[in-house]
Amino acid sequence: WQLQASGGGLVQFGGSLRLSCAASGFALADSTISWFRQAPGKEREWVSGIFRRGGHTYYADSVKGRFTISRDNAKNTVYLQMNSLKPEDTAVYDCAAGRRVILSTMYTRGAYDHWGQGTQVTVSS
């Protein structure tokens, strides 16, 4: 089972990026997927999640209205569209998959079984 996060890069303030989280060896549709990020010297932070049943989506307050999470089950991929990027969004972004995630645990690392390798997002001011 493997997750691969990609799509990061360097973008200017106000720009956009789309991150991808592609799975191999298992169906993402059977898992709840979340994106986390970690900036240098800071704790890992939950960013957004999409549930495996119903596809309900959730966002951290810091990204609500700017980021959109979605899934394409045919491509076995989850996306994070990031608009209106700010320098404080600079971090390594990683995706995680879990089959037993519930709402109260969605924000915690321990709820997830599989992790990607991370992709760097840098927003210049």
Side-chain angles (χ1 to χ4, degrees):
W1 290 25
Q2 189 173 16
L3 285 176
Q4 183 169 1
S6 62
L10 173 64
V11 64
Q12 290 186 333
F13 177 85
S16 298
L17 283 173
R18 188 178 78 160
L19 305 184
S20 299
C21 177
S24 58
F26 70 103
L28 276 183
D30 295 334
S31 296
T32 293
I33 308 298
S34 275
W35 286 95
F36 289 78
R37 67 185 181 186
Q38 187 166 19
K42 294 188 176 181
E43 295 285 326
R44 187 182 299 245
E45 173 189 21
W46 175 85
V47 175
S48 179
I50 183 167
F51 271 99
R52 63 186 181 103
R53 292 179 178 173
H56 295 292
T57 59
Y58 295 85
Y59 301 92
D61 288 342
S62 58
V63 306
K64 199 172 294 183
R66 301 187 297 123
F67 290 11
T68 303
I69 190 170
S70 62
R71 66 162 84 230
D72 185 334
N73 291 335
K75 295 183 178 180
N76 214 24
T77 300
V78 168
Y79 302 100
L80 185 69
Q81 177 67 44
M82 306 187 297
N83 298 329
S84 302
L85 283 163
K86 306 174 182 179
E88 51 262 46
D89 294 317
T90 295
V92 175
Y93 285 70
D94 205 359
C95 55
R99 301 186 67 176
R100 294 173 296 276
V101 178
I102 59 176
L103 185 57
S104 62
T105 65
M106 172 176 265
Y107 320 100
T108 61
R109 293 184 59 184
Y112 298 90
D113 307 307
H114 305 284
W115 291 80
Q117 83 291 352
T119 186
Q120 176 71 46
V121 172
T122 303
V123 184
S124 62
S125 56

